[in-house]
Amino acid sequence: MKYIREFRNPHLAKPLIERIQAYAGPALRFMEFCGGHTHAIMRYGIRSLVSPMVDLVSGPGCPVCVSATADLDRAIALAEVPGVILTTFGDMIRVPGSRESLQDAKARGADVRIVYSSLDAVQMARENPDRPVVMLGVGFETTAPTIAASVMHAEKEGIDNFFVLSLHKLTPPATRAILDAGEVHLDGIIGPGHVTTIIGEAEWGFLPRDYGLSCAVSGFEPLDMLQAIAALIQLAAGGQPGVRNVYGRSVTMHGNPVALGMMHRVFQVEAADWRGMGVVPDSGLGFRDEYARFDAAQAFPVDIPPPVEHTGCRCGDVLRGVLLPTGCPLFGKVCDPAHPVGPCMVSAEGACAAYYQYRED
Ligand code: SF4
């Protein structure tokens, strides 16, 4: 198969659906790590197509959602430093911090601007040499290399007013944290397709080795998802955990060495604070000493009061796979995309947004 339409072809999907529906063994629960997968599952009604013996839960794969409230507060405080232009990808601007969002700060006069690429932020720094331009670095292994490339570009161009607040997160350590916590029983993981394009299929080898759990790395079309679920069922039924790559048109065994090289040249692995999981060792990226002058956290130390979490919002539980979005008492009542209480309802990759957008009334 070569073209997108083939990955949406109902005639090709039918035998896969029949195979999945025919499963009648012990109950299985799979976690789709990635928010993009949650949206695909909801959009194409895949939850209702699988066997009643197969349960799907969403995981922490939405970088906007997993950004801790304290980090959001820091970003907002940075936006309020006199002279600073704070640049961000669009999703972050509406996420509520303890007291307000970046959008609220912008309405009060902070210079917050949406960019579509971190190179746009570098260009902004070039055009505003007397003002610091801070890029909010939010994303997984997919985004971090592009931000690293921007830092290297700014260095090469001698641009000294470009900074990054690095809130990047790494996916395998978060998966380990969920499994180590033991709150949710899982029989397999649908591995994130875009992230694995960068890190490589081999990075998920720890799942069968250390946890006896299978992983199927999937793309984002309905046939991708069905193939991943079918592969996980087959692996579970066979009792031999393993890693399957059903996204072979994008994912290789060892990923993208150029992207990984840039990421590790600029950043080093360190602990990161995740919404719902707290501080997870070795799950984030901070600046290496050689690039520390681009670190917004060091360049603009700001004092922020302790974070305040929103009463009733269960994003943390949703991100750990402990709760479906529909299990949150606020879902669709006081929390919807027009009035989001938590980030999982704001982000285009948020599980609550997916369940709301594709809900059956
Ligand atoms: Fe938070 Fe809203 Fe999701 Fe509930 S429905 S967990 S309040 S984002």
PDB file of all heavy atoms in Angstrom, residues 29 31 57-61 65-66 178 181 183-184 186 274-278 309-329 343-344 351-352:
ATOM      1  N   ARG A  29      -6.167  -5.519  27.615  1.00  0.00           N
ATOM      2  CA  ARG A  29      -6.234  -4.044  27.610  1.00  0.00           C
ATOM      3  C   ARG A  29      -4.946  -3.502  26.989  1.00  0.00           C
ATOM      4  O   ARG A  29      -3.845  -3.823  27.432  1.00  0.00           O
ATOM      5  CB  ARG A  29      -6.401  -3.496  29.020  1.00  0.00           C
ATOM      6  CG  ARG A  29      -6.498  -1.964  29.001  1.00  0.00           C
ATOM      7  CD  ARG A  29      -6.666  -1.370  30.395  1.00  0.00           C
ATOM      8  NE  ARG A  29      -7.940  -1.702  30.963  1.00  0.00           N
ATOM      9  CZ  ARG A  29      -8.102  -2.204  32.191  1.00  0.00           C
ATOM     10  NH1 ARG A  29      -7.064  -2.425  32.962  1.00  0.00           N
ATOM     11  NH2 ARG A  29      -9.296  -2.465  32.644  1.00  0.00           N
ATOM     12  N   MET A  31      -2.851   0.031  25.690  1.00  0.00           N
ATOM     13  CA  MET A  31      -2.778   1.495  25.820  1.00  0.00           C
ATOM     14  C   MET A  31      -2.221   2.082  24.535  1.00  0.00           C
ATOM     15  O   MET A  31      -1.159   1.665  24.070  1.00  0.00           O
ATOM     16  CB  MET A  31      -1.865   1.894  26.991  1.00  0.00           C
ATOM     17  CG  MET A  31      -1.575   3.404  27.034  1.00  0.00           C
ATOM     18  SD  MET A  31      -0.510   3.869  28.425  1.00  0.00           S
ATOM     19  CE  MET A  31      -1.707   3.960  29.751  1.00  0.00           C
ATOM     20  N   VAL A  57      -7.181   1.993  26.197  1.00  0.00           N
ATOM     21  CA  VAL A  57      -7.091   3.174  27.069  1.00  0.00           C
ATOM     22  C   VAL A  57      -6.023   4.105  26.506  1.00  0.00           C
ATOM     23  O   VAL A  57      -5.055   3.666  25.896  1.00  0.00           O
ATOM     24  CB  VAL A  57      -6.743   2.820  28.546  1.00  0.00           C
ATOM     25  CG1 VAL A  57      -7.872   2.057  29.184  1.00  0.00           C
ATOM     26  CG2 VAL A  57      -5.436   2.053  28.649  1.00  0.00           C
ATOM     27  N   SER A  58      -6.242   5.400  26.726  1.00  0.00           N
ATOM     28  CA  SER A  58      -5.263   6.356  26.193  1.00  0.00           C
ATOM     29  C   SER A  58      -4.150   6.573  27.209  1.00  0.00           C
ATOM     30  O   SER A  58      -4.312   6.317  28.409  1.00  0.00           O
ATOM     31  CB  SER A  58      -5.941   7.671  25.819  1.00  0.00           C
ATOM     32  OG  SER A  58      -6.756   8.104  26.847  1.00  0.00           O
ATOM     33  N   GLY A  59      -3.023   7.052  26.719  1.00  0.00           N
ATOM     34  CA  GLY A  59      -1.849   7.246  27.557  1.00  0.00           C
ATOM     35  C   GLY A  59      -1.387   8.699  27.585  1.00  0.00           C
ATOM     36  O   GLY A  59      -2.166   9.613  27.257  1.00  0.00           O
ATOM     37  N   PRO A  60      -0.130   8.915  27.937  1.00  0.00           N
ATOM     38  CA  PRO A  60       0.355  10.287  28.157  1.00  0.00           C
ATOM     39  C   PRO A  60       0.927  10.962  26.912  1.00  0.00           C
ATOM     40  O   PRO A  60       1.671  11.931  27.036  1.00  0.00           O
ATOM     41  CB  PRO A  60       1.464  10.060  29.197  1.00  0.00           C
ATOM     42  CG  PRO A  60       2.014   8.718  28.861  1.00  0.00           C
ATOM     43  CD  PRO A  60       0.868   7.903  28.319  1.00  0.00           C
ATOM     44  N   GLY A  61       0.563  10.472  25.725  1.00  0.00           N
ATOM     45  CA  GLY A  61       1.232  10.966  24.520  1.00  0.00           C
ATOM     46  C   GLY A  61       0.689  12.244  23.938  1.00  0.00           C
ATOM     47  O   GLY A  61       0.453  12.336  22.743  1.00  0.00           O
ATOM     48  N   CYS A  65      -0.584  18.292  27.031  1.00  0.00           N
ATOM     49  CA  CYS A  65      -1.319  17.811  28.210  1.00  0.00           C
ATOM     50  C   CYS A  65      -0.377  17.460  29.361  1.00  0.00           C
ATOM     51  O   CYS A  65      -0.710  17.678  30.524  1.00  0.00           O
ATOM     52  CB  CYS A  65      -2.143  16.585  27.863  1.00  0.00           C
ATOM     53  SG  CYS A  65      -3.206  16.795  26.428  1.00  0.00           S
ATOM     54  N   VAL A  66       0.775  16.874  29.041  1.00  0.00           N
ATOM     55  CA  VAL A  66       1.650  16.407  30.126  1.00  0.00           C
ATOM     56  C   VAL A  66       2.535  17.512  30.699  1.00  0.00           C
ATOM     57  O   VAL A  66       3.253  17.288  31.669  1.00  0.00           O
ATOM     58  CB  VAL A  66       2.527  15.201  29.706  1.00  0.00           C
ATOM     59  CG1 VAL A  66       1.671  13.986  29.411  1.00  0.00           C
ATOM     60  CG2 VAL A  66       3.427  15.535  28.530  1.00  0.00           C
ATOM     61  N   ILE A 178       4.687   4.573  34.051  1.00  0.00           N
ATOM     62  CA  ILE A 178       3.299   4.090  34.142  1.00  0.00           C
ATOM     63  C   ILE A 178       3.284   2.615  34.534  1.00  0.00           C
ATOM     64  O   ILE A 178       2.512   2.191  35.412  1.00  0.00           O
ATOM     65  CB  ILE A 178       2.570   4.318  32.797  1.00  0.00           C
ATOM     66  CG1 ILE A 178       2.248   5.803  32.654  1.00  0.00           C
ATOM     67  CG2 ILE A 178       1.294   3.477  32.709  1.00  0.00           C
ATOM     68  CD1 ILE A 178       1.629   6.184  31.354  1.00  0.00           C
ATOM     69  N   ALA A 181       4.376   2.042  38.150  1.00  0.00           N
ATOM     70  CA  ALA A 181       3.377   2.456  39.142  1.00  0.00           C
ATOM     71  C   ALA A 181       2.344   1.339  39.375  1.00  0.00           C
ATOM     72  O   ALA A 181       1.760   1.242  40.453  1.00  0.00           O
ATOM     73  CB  ALA A 181       2.677   3.731  38.685  1.00  0.00           C
ATOM     74  N   GLU A 183      -0.647   0.944  38.401  1.00  0.00           N
ATOM     75  CA  GLU A 183      -2.046   1.356  38.637  1.00  0.00           C
ATOM     76  C   GLU A 183      -3.002   0.755  37.630  1.00  0.00           C
ATOM     77  O   GLU A 183      -4.199   0.642  37.893  1.00  0.00           O
ATOM     78  CB  GLU A 183      -2.156   2.878  38.507  1.00  0.00           C
ATOM     79  CG  GLU A 183      -1.638   3.667  39.665  1.00  0.00           C
ATOM     80  CD  GLU A 183      -1.862   5.134  39.399  1.00  0.00           C
ATOM     81  OE1 GLU A 183      -1.271   5.664  38.437  1.00  0.00           O
ATOM     82  OE2 GLU A 183      -2.620   5.757  40.144  1.00  0.00           O
ATOM     83  N   VAL A 184      -2.474   0.495  36.417  1.00  0.00           N
ATOM     84  CA  VAL A 184      -3.347   0.016  35.357  1.00  0.00           C
ATOM     85  C   VAL A 184      -2.722  -1.241  34.751  1.00  0.00           C
ATOM     86  O   VAL A 184      -1.533  -1.253  34.436  1.00  0.00           O
ATOM     87  CB  VAL A 184      -3.600   1.127  34.306  1.00  0.00           C
ATOM     88  CG1 VAL A 184      -2.313   1.709  33.750  1.00  0.00           C
ATOM     89  CG2 VAL A 184      -4.456   0.643  33.158  1.00  0.00           C
ATOM     90  N   LEU A 186      -1.966  -3.639  31.885  1.00  0.00           N
ATOM     91  CA  LEU A 186      -1.917  -3.545  30.422  1.00  0.00           C
ATOM     92  C   LEU A 186      -1.407  -4.859  29.846  1.00  0.00           C
ATOM     93  O   LEU A 186      -0.577  -5.542  30.460  1.00  0.00           O
ATOM     94  CB  LEU A 186      -0.982  -2.401  29.989  1.00  0.00           C
ATOM     95  CG  LEU A 186      -1.392  -0.988  30.397  1.00  0.00           C
ATOM     96  CD1 LEU A 186      -0.315   0.015  30.011  1.00  0.00           C
ATOM     97  CD2 LEU A 186      -2.726  -0.592  29.758  1.00  0.00           C
ATOM     98  N   TRP A 274       6.010  15.738  34.951  1.00  0.00           N
ATOM     99  CA  TRP A 274       4.878  15.362  34.088  1.00  0.00           C
ATOM    100  C   TRP A 274       3.569  15.572  34.846  1.00  0.00           C
ATOM    101  O   TRP A 274       3.437  15.157  36.008  1.00  0.00           O
ATOM    102  CB  TRP A 274       4.955  13.882  33.703  1.00  0.00           C
ATOM    103  CG  TRP A 274       6.103  13.502  32.827  1.00  0.00           C
ATOM    104  CD1 TRP A 274       7.434  13.556  33.139  1.00  0.00           C
ATOM    105  CD2 TRP A 274       6.029  12.992  31.493  1.00  0.00           C
ATOM    106  NE1 TRP A 274       8.184  13.115  32.085  1.00  0.00           N
ATOM    107  CE2 TRP A 274       7.338  12.750  31.057  1.00  0.00           C
ATOM    108  CE3 TRP A 274       4.965  12.700  30.620  1.00  0.00           C
ATOM    109  CZ2 TRP A 274       7.628  12.247  29.783  1.00  0.00           C
ATOM    110  CZ3 TRP A 274       5.249  12.194  29.366  1.00  0.00           C
ATOM    111  CH2 TRP A 274       6.565  11.973  28.953  1.00  0.00           C
ATOM    112  N   ARG A 275       2.591  16.138  34.166  1.00  0.00           N
ATOM    113  CA  ARG A 275       1.258  16.213  34.768  1.00  0.00           C
ATOM    114  C   ARG A 275       0.755  14.793  35.044  1.00  0.00           C
ATOM    115  O   ARG A 275       0.818  13.926  34.179  1.00  0.00           O
ATOM    116  CB  ARG A 275       0.291  16.915  33.815  1.00  0.00           C
ATOM    117  CG  ARG A 275      -1.121  17.098  34.384  1.00  0.00           C
ATOM    118  CD  ARG A 275      -2.025  17.734  33.355  1.00  0.00           C
ATOM    119  NE  ARG A 275      -1.507  19.028  32.933  1.00  0.00           N
ATOM    120  CZ  ARG A 275      -1.728  20.168  33.570  1.00  0.00           C
ATOM    121  NH1 ARG A 275      -2.474  20.184  34.652  1.00  0.00           N
ATOM    122  NH2 ARG A 275      -1.213  21.288  33.123  1.00  0.00           N
ATOM    123  N   GLY A 276       0.319  14.587  36.230  1.00  0.00           N
ATOM    124  CA  GLY A 276      -0.246  13.279  36.576  1.00  0.00           C
ATOM    125  C   GLY A 276       0.780  12.266  37.054  1.00  0.00           C
ATOM    126  O   GLY A 276       0.426  11.275  37.664  1.00  0.00           O
ATOM    127  N   MET A 277       2.062  12.496  36.735  1.00  0.00           N
ATOM    128  CA  MET A 277       3.073  11.507  37.127  1.00  0.00           C
ATOM    129  C   MET A 277       4.146  12.102  38.024  1.00  0.00           C
ATOM    130  O   MET A 277       4.948  11.363  38.598  1.00  0.00           O
ATOM    131  CB  MET A 277       3.732  10.913  35.881  1.00  0.00           C
ATOM    132  CG  MET A 277       2.867   9.897  35.180  1.00  0.00           C
ATOM    133  SD  MET A 277       3.794   8.992  33.930  1.00  0.00           S
ATOM    134  CE  MET A 277       3.600  10.061  32.549  1.00  0.00           C
ATOM    135  N   GLY A 278       4.209  13.416  38.085  1.00  0.00           N
ATOM    136  CA  GLY A 278       5.253  14.057  38.881  1.00  0.00           C
ATOM    137  C   GLY A 278       6.605  13.985  38.176  1.00  0.00           C
ATOM    138  O   GLY A 278       6.668  13.822  36.958  1.00  0.00           O
ATOM    139  N   GLU A 309      -3.624  23.183  41.276  1.00  0.00           N
ATOM    140  CA  GLU A 309      -4.297  22.324  40.298  1.00  0.00           C
ATOM    141  C   GLU A 309      -5.803  22.596  40.334  1.00  0.00           C
ATOM    142  O   GLU A 309      -6.353  22.952  41.376  1.00  0.00           O
ATOM    143  CB  GLU A 309      -4.023  20.841  40.602  1.00  0.00           C
ATOM    144  CG  GLU A 309      -2.539  20.471  40.655  1.00  0.00           C
ATOM    145  CD  GLU A 309      -1.788  20.673  39.341  1.00  0.00           C
ATOM    146  OE1 GLU A 309      -2.444  20.752  38.285  1.00  0.00           O
ATOM    147  OE2 GLU A 309      -0.541  20.766  39.370  1.00  0.00           O
ATOM    148  N   HIS A 310      -6.445  22.430  39.194  1.00  0.00           N
ATOM    149  CA  HIS A 310      -7.873  22.728  39.122  1.00  0.00           C
ATOM    150  C   HIS A 310      -8.703  21.630  39.770  1.00  0.00           C
ATOM    151  O   HIS A 310      -8.585  20.468  39.416  1.00  0.00           O
ATOM    152  CB  HIS A 310      -8.291  22.938  37.668  1.00  0.00           C
ATOM    153  CG  HIS A 310      -7.718  24.196  37.125  1.00  0.00           C
ATOM    154  ND1 HIS A 310      -8.351  25.409  37.217  1.00  0.00           N
ATOM    155  CD2 HIS A 310      -6.516  24.430  36.568  1.00  0.00           C
ATOM    156  CE1 HIS A 310      -7.580  26.347  36.708  1.00  0.00           C
ATOM    157  NE2 HIS A 310      -6.457  25.781  36.303  1.00  0.00           N
ATOM    158  N   THR A 311      -9.533  22.044  40.711  1.00  0.00           N
ATOM    159  CA  THR A 311     -10.349  21.076  41.432  1.00  0.00           C
ATOM    160  C   THR A 311     -11.248  20.321  40.463  1.00  0.00           C
ATOM    161  O   THR A 311     -11.903  20.924  39.628  1.00  0.00           O
ATOM    162  CB  THR A 311     -11.253  21.819  42.450  1.00  0.00           C
ATOM    163  OG1 THR A 311     -10.496  22.847  43.046  1.00  0.00           O
ATOM    164  CG2 THR A 311     -11.807  20.876  43.504  1.00  0.00           C
ATOM    165  N   GLY A 312     -11.245  19.057  40.577  1.00  0.00           N
ATOM    166  CA  GLY A 312     -12.172  18.246  39.768  1.00  0.00           C
ATOM    167  C   GLY A 312     -11.590  17.762  38.464  1.00  0.00           C
ATOM    168  O   GLY A 312     -12.063  16.779  37.908  1.00  0.00           O
ATOM    169  N   CYS A 313     -10.565  18.442  37.923  1.00  0.00           N
ATOM    170  CA  CYS A 313     -10.004  18.014  36.647  1.00  0.00           C
ATOM    171  C   CYS A 313      -9.220  16.715  36.861  1.00  0.00           C
ATOM    172  O   CYS A 313      -8.371  16.637  37.739  1.00  0.00           O
ATOM    173  CB  CYS A 313      -9.099  19.082  36.045  1.00  0.00           C
ATOM    174  SG  CYS A 313      -8.290  18.529  34.524  1.00  0.00           S
ATOM    175  N   ARG A 314      -9.493  15.702  36.033  1.00  0.00           N
ATOM    176  CA  ARG A 314      -8.867  14.386  36.208  1.00  0.00           C
ATOM    177  C   ARG A 314      -7.852  14.096  35.094  1.00  0.00           C
ATOM    178  O   ARG A 314      -7.587  12.931  34.789  1.00  0.00           O
ATOM    179  CB  ARG A 314      -9.950  13.302  36.240  1.00  0.00           C
ATOM    180  CG  ARG A 314     -11.023  13.522  37.320  1.00  0.00           C
ATOM    181  CD  ARG A 314     -10.552  13.079  38.692  1.00  0.00           C
ATOM    182  NE  ARG A 314     -10.173  11.693  38.734  1.00  0.00           N
ATOM    183  CZ  ARG A 314     -11.000  10.679  38.962  1.00  0.00           C
ATOM    184  NH1 ARG A 314     -12.279  10.917  39.172  1.00  0.00           N
ATOM    185  NH2 ARG A 314     -10.563   9.424  39.004  1.00  0.00           N
ATOM    186  N   CYS A 315      -7.302  15.169  34.494  1.00  0.00           N
ATOM    187  CA  CYS A 315      -6.338  14.969  33.394  1.00  0.00           C
ATOM    188  C   CYS A 315      -5.221  14.002  33.785  1.00  0.00           C
ATOM    189  O   CYS A 315      -4.814  13.160  32.984  1.00  0.00           O
ATOM    190  CB  CYS A 315      -5.710  16.293  32.967  1.00  0.00           C
ATOM    191  SG  CYS A 315      -6.652  17.183  31.726  1.00  0.00           S
ATOM    192  N   GLY A 316      -4.719  14.143  35.000  1.00  0.00           N
ATOM    193  CA  GLY A 316      -3.615  13.279  35.432  1.00  0.00           C
ATOM    194  C   GLY A 316      -3.993  11.815  35.339  1.00  0.00           C
ATOM    195  O   GLY A 316      -3.218  10.984  34.863  1.00  0.00           O
ATOM    196  N   ASP A 317      -5.221  11.479  35.784  1.00  0.00           N
ATOM    197  CA  ASP A 317      -5.689  10.088  35.732  1.00  0.00           C
ATOM    198  C   ASP A 317      -5.873   9.625  34.286  1.00  0.00           C
ATOM    199  O   ASP A 317      -5.567   8.487  33.947  1.00  0.00           O
ATOM    200  CB  ASP A 317      -7.020   9.943  36.486  1.00  0.00           C
ATOM    201  CG  ASP A 317      -6.846  10.186  37.978  1.00  0.00           C
ATOM    202  OD1 ASP A 317      -5.709  10.080  38.459  1.00  0.00           O
ATOM    203  OD2 ASP A 317      -7.849  10.503  38.646  1.00  0.00           O
ATOM    204  N   VAL A 318      -6.401  10.540  33.455  1.00  0.00           N
ATOM    205  CA  VAL A 318      -6.597  10.205  32.031  1.00  0.00           C
ATOM    206  C   VAL A 318      -5.244   9.919  31.385  1.00  0.00           C
ATOM    207  O   VAL A 318      -5.084   8.950  30.642  1.00  0.00           O
ATOM    208  CB  VAL A 318      -7.323  11.369  31.304  1.00  0.00           C
ATOM    209  CG1 VAL A 318      -7.329  11.150  29.790  1.00  0.00           C
ATOM    210  CG2 VAL A 318      -8.746  11.528  31.832  1.00  0.00           C
ATOM    211  N   LEU A 319      -4.248  10.737  31.704  1.00  0.00           N
ATOM    212  CA  LEU A 319      -2.919  10.589  31.084  1.00  0.00           C
ATOM    213  C   LEU A 319      -2.202   9.315  31.539  1.00  0.00           C
ATOM    214  O   LEU A 319      -1.328   8.816  30.829  1.00  0.00           O
ATOM    215  CB  LEU A 319      -2.057  11.817  31.408  1.00  0.00           C
ATOM    216  CG  LEU A 319      -2.527  13.119  30.740  1.00  0.00           C
ATOM    217  CD1 LEU A 319      -1.882  14.334  31.395  1.00  0.00           C
ATOM    218  CD2 LEU A 319      -2.227  13.105  29.257  1.00  0.00           C
ATOM    219  N   ARG A 320      -2.570   8.803  32.699  1.00  0.00           N
ATOM    220  CA  ARG A 320      -1.958   7.552  33.181  1.00  0.00           C
ATOM    221  C   ARG A 320      -2.770   6.323  32.778  1.00  0.00           C
ATOM    222  O   ARG A 320      -2.434   5.211  33.151  1.00  0.00           O
ATOM    223  CB  ARG A 320      -1.806   7.573  34.710  1.00  0.00           C
ATOM    224  CG  ARG A 320      -0.884   8.643  35.242  1.00  0.00           C
ATOM    225  CD  ARG A 320      -0.497   8.388  36.694  1.00  0.00           C
ATOM    226  NE  ARG A 320      -1.606   8.094  37.558  1.00  0.00           N
ATOM    227  CZ  ARG A 320      -2.446   8.975  38.096  1.00  0.00           C
ATOM    228  NH1 ARG A 320      -2.252  10.265  37.861  1.00  0.00           N
ATOM    229  NH2 ARG A 320      -3.435   8.607  38.881  1.00  0.00           N
ATOM    230  N   GLY A 321      -3.856   6.544  32.044  1.00  0.00           N
ATOM    231  CA  GLY A 321      -4.679   5.422  31.593  1.00  0.00           C
ATOM    232  C   GLY A 321      -5.554   4.840  32.677  1.00  0.00           C
ATOM    233  O   GLY A 321      -6.133   3.767  32.517  1.00  0.00           O
ATOM    234  N   VAL A 322      -5.670   5.554  33.788  1.00  0.00           N
ATOM    235  CA  VAL A 322      -6.458   5.056  34.923  1.00  0.00           C
ATOM    236  C   VAL A 322      -7.953   5.335  34.701  1.00  0.00           C
ATOM    237  O   VAL A 322      -8.821   4.630  35.216  1.00  0.00           O
ATOM    238  CB  VAL A 322      -5.969   5.735  36.227  1.00  0.00           C
ATOM    239  CG1 VAL A 322      -6.849   5.408  37.405  1.00  0.00           C
ATOM    240  CG2 VAL A 322      -4.524   5.353  36.500  1.00  0.00           C
ATOM    241  N   LEU A 323      -8.239   6.371  33.923  1.00  0.00           N
ATOM    242  CA  LEU A 323      -9.626   6.831  33.755  1.00  0.00           C
ATOM    243  C   LEU A 323      -9.866   7.190  32.291  1.00  0.00           C
ATOM    244  O   LEU A 323      -9.009   7.816  31.655  1.00  0.00           O
ATOM    245  CB  LEU A 323      -9.831   8.098  34.616  1.00  0.00           C
ATOM    246  CG  LEU A 323     -11.230   8.673  34.715  1.00  0.00           C
ATOM    247  CD1 LEU A 323     -12.059   7.856  35.704  1.00  0.00           C
ATOM    248  CD2 LEU A 323     -11.176  10.131  35.180  1.00  0.00           C
ATOM    249  N   LEU A 324     -11.041   6.807  31.762  1.00  0.00           N
ATOM    250  CA  LEU A 324     -11.422   7.307  30.444  1.00  0.00           C
ATOM    251  C   LEU A 324     -11.920   8.741  30.605  1.00  0.00           C
ATOM    252  O   LEU A 324     -12.475   9.092  31.660  1.00  0.00           O
ATOM    253  CB  LEU A 324     -12.550   6.450  29.858  1.00  0.00           C
ATOM    254  CG  LEU A 324     -12.188   5.036  29.407  1.00  0.00           C
ATOM    255  CD1 LEU A 324     -13.424   4.330  28.849  1.00  0.00           C
ATOM    256  CD2 LEU A 324     -11.076   5.050  28.369  1.00  0.00           C
ATOM    257  N   PRO A 325     -11.759   9.582  29.608  1.00  0.00           N
ATOM    258  CA  PRO A 325     -12.246  10.967  29.735  1.00  0.00           C
ATOM    259  C   PRO A 325     -13.707  11.049  30.165  1.00  0.00           C
ATOM    260  O   PRO A 325     -14.087  11.916  30.959  1.00  0.00           O
ATOM    261  CB  PRO A 325     -12.037  11.528  28.322  1.00  0.00           C
ATOM    262  CG  PRO A 325     -10.857  10.767  27.795  1.00  0.00           C
ATOM    263  CD  PRO A 325     -11.018   9.376  28.339  1.00  0.00           C
ATOM    264  N   THR A 326     -14.517  10.128  29.666  1.00  0.00           N
ATOM    265  CA  THR A 326     -15.944  10.164  30.011  1.00  0.00           C
ATOM    266  C   THR A 326     -16.175   9.855  31.494  1.00  0.00           C
ATOM    267  O   THR A 326     -17.268  10.094  32.014  1.00  0.00           O
ATOM    268  CB  THR A 326     -16.718   9.147  29.145  1.00  0.00           C
ATOM    269  OG1 THR A 326     -15.962   7.926  29.117  1.00  0.00           O
ATOM    270  CG2 THR A 326     -16.878   9.644  27.727  1.00  0.00           C
ATOM    271  N   GLY A 327     -15.163   9.350  32.166  1.00  0.00           N
ATOM    272  CA  GLY A 327     -15.283   9.078  33.601  1.00  0.00           C
ATOM    273  C   GLY A 327     -15.051  10.316  34.452  1.00  0.00           C
ATOM    274  O   GLY A 327     -15.302  10.290  35.669  1.00  0.00           O
ATOM    275  N   CYS A 328     -14.595  11.397  33.844  1.00  0.00           N
ATOM    276  CA  CYS A 328     -14.386  12.639  34.604  1.00  0.00           C
ATOM    277  C   CYS A 328     -15.745  13.301  34.824  1.00  0.00           C
ATOM    278  O   CYS A 328     -16.494  13.514  33.872  1.00  0.00           O
ATOM    279  CB  CYS A 328     -13.458  13.583  33.836  1.00  0.00           C
ATOM    280  SG  CYS A 328     -13.393  15.225  34.581  1.00  0.00           S
ATOM    281  N   PRO A 329     -16.061  13.651  36.075  1.00  0.00           N
ATOM    282  CA  PRO A 329     -17.381  14.246  36.342  1.00  0.00           C
ATOM    283  C   PRO A 329     -17.611  15.569  35.615  1.00  0.00           C
ATOM    284  O   PRO A 329     -18.755  15.979  35.422  1.00  0.00           O
ATOM    285  CB  PRO A 329     -17.373  14.471  37.860  1.00  0.00           C
ATOM    286  CG  PRO A 329     -16.167  13.768  38.397  1.00  0.00           C
ATOM    287  CD  PRO A 329     -15.250  13.462  37.273  1.00  0.00           C
ATOM    288  N   PRO A 343      -5.898  20.698  30.229  1.00  0.00           N
ATOM    289  CA  PRO A 343      -5.229  20.665  28.930  1.00  0.00           C
ATOM    290  C   PRO A 343      -5.702  19.536  28.023  1.00  0.00           C
ATOM    291  O   PRO A 343      -5.633  19.658  26.803  1.00  0.00           O
ATOM    292  CB  PRO A 343      -3.753  20.486  29.294  1.00  0.00           C
ATOM    293  CG  PRO A 343      -3.745  19.909  30.661  1.00  0.00           C
ATOM    294  CD  PRO A 343      -4.957  20.457  31.342  1.00  0.00           C
ATOM    295  N   CYS A 344      -6.211  18.441  28.611  1.00  0.00           N
ATOM    296  CA  CYS A 344      -6.644  17.317  27.768  1.00  0.00           C
ATOM    297  C   CYS A 344      -7.872  17.683  26.926  1.00  0.00           C
ATOM    298  O   CYS A 344      -8.218  16.976  25.983  1.00  0.00           O
ATOM    299  CB  CYS A 344      -6.961  16.087  28.616  1.00  0.00           C
ATOM    300  SG  CYS A 344      -5.571  15.527  29.594  1.00  0.00           S
ATOM    301  N   ALA A 351      -6.865  13.627  24.935  1.00  0.00           N
ATOM    302  CA  ALA A 351      -7.827  12.524  24.931  1.00  0.00           C
ATOM    303  C   ALA A 351      -9.245  13.049  25.182  1.00  0.00           C
ATOM    304  O   ALA A 351     -10.204  12.589  24.554  1.00  0.00           O
ATOM    305  CB  ALA A 351      -7.437  11.495  25.997  1.00  0.00           C
ATOM    306  N   CYS A 352      -9.400  13.992  26.093  1.00  0.00           N
ATOM    307  CA  CYS A 352     -10.748  14.503  26.397  1.00  0.00           C
ATOM    308  C   CYS A 352     -11.338  15.188  25.167  1.00  0.00           C
ATOM    309  O   CYS A 352     -12.526  15.034  24.870  1.00  0.00           O
ATOM    310  CB  CYS A 352     -10.702  15.465  27.588  1.00  0.00           C
ATOM    311  SG  CYS A 352     -10.135  14.666  29.103  1.00  0.00           S
TER     312      CYS A 352
END
